[in-house]
Amino acid sequence: MNAHAITFDASARDWNEALPIGNGFLGAMVHGGTIHEHLQINEDSLWSGGPMDRANPDARANIAQIRELLDEGKTGQAHALAERTMFPLTADMRHYESLGDVWFDLANTDGEISGYRRGLNIDDALGSMQCNVGSQPMNVECFASNPDNVIAYRMEYPAASKGRRGTEFAVRLSRQDTANGLAGRCDGITALDSNTIRLWGHNGGADGISYELVVRVVADKGTCRTAGAQVIVRGAHRVTVLIAGRTTYRSQDPLQWCKRTLDAAEE
């Protein structure tokens, strides 16, 4: 770690202690867990519904009278007229929502965790974690790529190349309320192939926003298979998890966009 870094000697106890990475529209809060790693994912165009026109149609016709009342010191009357003619017709605007959550459930946790350290290099926008699981070291790096439009999270077990067993873990998706831990809504979670899983949904009726969260797992010298809507990794020396997210605010077909983006990033 250099001087411009945020560091911790334990995993995040809550969202506020997670470390942020992002590329301008796609971001993650990385918790740094050693048993259950958690990445909370945001895509900045995901709202509870589609576009709204909240403008009061009577605003233009009444602005001059409101100004006159203010000039005359009749602030109470000005406020009452502004409240009727200038305030939005609907009380609430759309609400921003989290895209989803990526979880890694690690199997190699039968040894004591020691030497734990995680941090965020501010200069390079690179997150990292190092620890020992028993006598086996584990190194993690993660970042959000703007040119490639993905979040990349890599786990490496250096001792595996010397005959030690590689990593074993499952990758799964959810969409939860980070404020109270309740399960969030989505339309479905499924596997697309042996190393790719998908979470999707639609918000706000016919004019609303559809969203996709797609995760690709790339294992080095190991195997990937799906069980239900999870990717199971066994015996890998190094694993790279690529995360893409998109909404219909930006793409007509967000699923195809995510698949093309992940194909390019994996290549």
Side-chain angles (χ1 to χ4, degrees):
M1 292 290 178
N2 66 6
H4 303 111
I6 304 169
T7 60
F8 289 87
D9 59 7
S11 59
R13 292 173 295 182
D14 55 36
W15 187 90
N16 295 295
E17 290 186 357
L19 293 172
I21 54 176
N23 66 2
F25 78 94
L26 185 68
M29 295 294 286
V30 183
H31 286 66
T34 57
I35 299 176
H36 301 292
E37 171 64 298
H38 177 201
L39 278 64
Q40 182 258 321
I41 310 297
N42 285 334
E43 204 278 358
D44 72 356
S45 64
L46 180 53
W47 297 81
S48 58
M52 297 177 68
D53 182 358
R54 301 174 69 230
N56 193 316
D58 293 324
R60 180 187 292 271
N62 288 274
I63 185 65
Q65 184 179 356
I66 292 170
R67 288 171 174 166
E68 290 177 6
L69 290 169
L70 290 172
D71 288 341
E72 296 169 2
K74 300 176 180 178
T75 56
Q77 295 180 44
H79 178 83
L81 183 58
E83 188 173 10
R84 289 191 294 269
T85 63
M86 300 191 71
F87 283 22
L89 299 181
T90 54
D92 294 320
M93 61 183 289
R94 302 298 193 193
H95 303 290
Y96 180 70
E97 295 187 354
S98 173
L99 178 60
D101 302 271
V102 181
W103 301 87
F104 308 152
D105 299 321
L106 304 178
N108 291 0
T109 56
D110 52 354
E112 181 181 353
I113 304 298
S114 63
Y116 183 96
R117 183 176 175 85
R118 68 183 172 100
L120 178 66
N121 183 317
I122 304 299
D123 294 334
D124 297 330
L126 183 68
S128 64
M129 180 180 73
Q130 299 86 34
C131 68
N132 297 307
V133 183
S135 61
Q136 179 159 281
M138 179 175 73
N139 299 324
V140 168
E141 286 188 337
C142 58
F143 62 89
S145 171
N146 180 273
D148 298 294
N149 296 313
V150 297
I151 290 169
Y153 184 104
R154 171 169 286 180
M155 304 169 60
E156 186 171 12
Y157 283 72
S161 61
K162 302 176 182 178
R164 300 286 298 277
R165 66 174 178 168
T167 183
E168 296 184 12
F169 70 100
V171 182
R172 56 186 171 91
L173 302 176
S174 70
R175 191 162 185 261
Q176 70 174 18
D177 183 338
T178 56
N180 58 31
L182 297 177
R185 292 184 176 179
C186 68
D187 290 344
I189 305 174
T190 192
L192 295 178
D193 55 42
S194 62
N195 66 336
T196 308
I197 51 178
R198 166 200 181 205
L199 178 151
W200 76 94
H202 179 83
N203 287 343
D207 66 340
I209 292 177
S210 296
Y211 56 88
E212 295 279 349
L213 172 61
V214 185
V215 175
R216 173 81 49 81
V217 182
V218 183
D220 178 14
K221 300 186 184 301
T223 62
C224 291
R225 66 176 179 88
T226 54
Q230 300 186 22
V231 177
I232 310 299
V233 180
R234 283 201 170 93
H237 296 186
R238 182 184 301 111
V239 179
T240 303
V241 179
L242 302 172
I243 302 167
R246 200 70 164 179
T247 75
T248 47
Y249 179 84
R250 289 193 166 92
S251 298
Q252 185 175 3
D253 189 336
L255 174 58
Q256 293 304 315
W257 184 92
C258 286
K259 291 167 70 174
R260 290 194 301 268
T261 298
L262 290 171
D263 287 344
E266 180 180 1
E267 184 69 23

